[in-house]
Amino acid sequence: TPGAVHALRIEPNPSFGRMQLVVEDGSTGLTEADILDLQGRVVRHLGPVWVGPRGRIEWDGTDAGGSRVSGGVYLARLKRGGKVETSRFTVLR
């Protein structure tokens, strides 16, 4: 459907630092993303930002306070056009 988020990929995965949330669809729109720990707590909120077709949102690997996150498994939750997409990734330290 138009405006739907069809896929979310994290690059690189795993990573030691900066990562990009890659939206793999052809739509354009305001997009928000949350980085979550495995307990579902929001570590960092990104956006809203305008993302075009096959767009990217960069995350610098820090929490809301600006500190680097611990190594481990996290989730990225992307919201755009009333749709939500989630992807799992690993931060190495």
Side-chain angles (χ1 to χ4, degrees), residues 40-61:
R41 296 177 295 223
V42 176
V43 173
R44 178 82 183 265
H45 178 77
L46 306 169
V49 295
W50 190 264
V51 177
R54 291 165 189 64
R56 297 169 180 262
I57 299 173
E58 188 167 315
W59 177 52
D60 61 4

Side-chain angles (χ1 to χ4, degrees), residues 75-91:
L75 300 172
R77 179 176 61 202
L78 190 90
K79 296 180 241 177
R80 177 163 69 168
K83 303 291 181 183
V84 177
E85 182 76 22
T86 303
S87 185
R88 185 180 296 229
F89 63 93
T90 303
V91 174

Side-chain angles (χ1 to χ4, degrees), residues 13-49:
N13 186 15
S15 175
F16 285 100
R18 294 189 175 275
M19 302 176 112
Q20 293 187 353
L21 287 65
V22 182
V23 183
E24 295 187 313
D25 71 359
S27 64
T28 300
L30 280 177
T31 306
E32 294 189 58
D34 290 314
I35 306 301
L36 309 162
D37 64 18
L38 289 182
Q39 287 74 43
R41 296 177 295 223
V42 176
V43 173
R44 178 82 183 265
H45 178 77
L46 306 169
V49 295

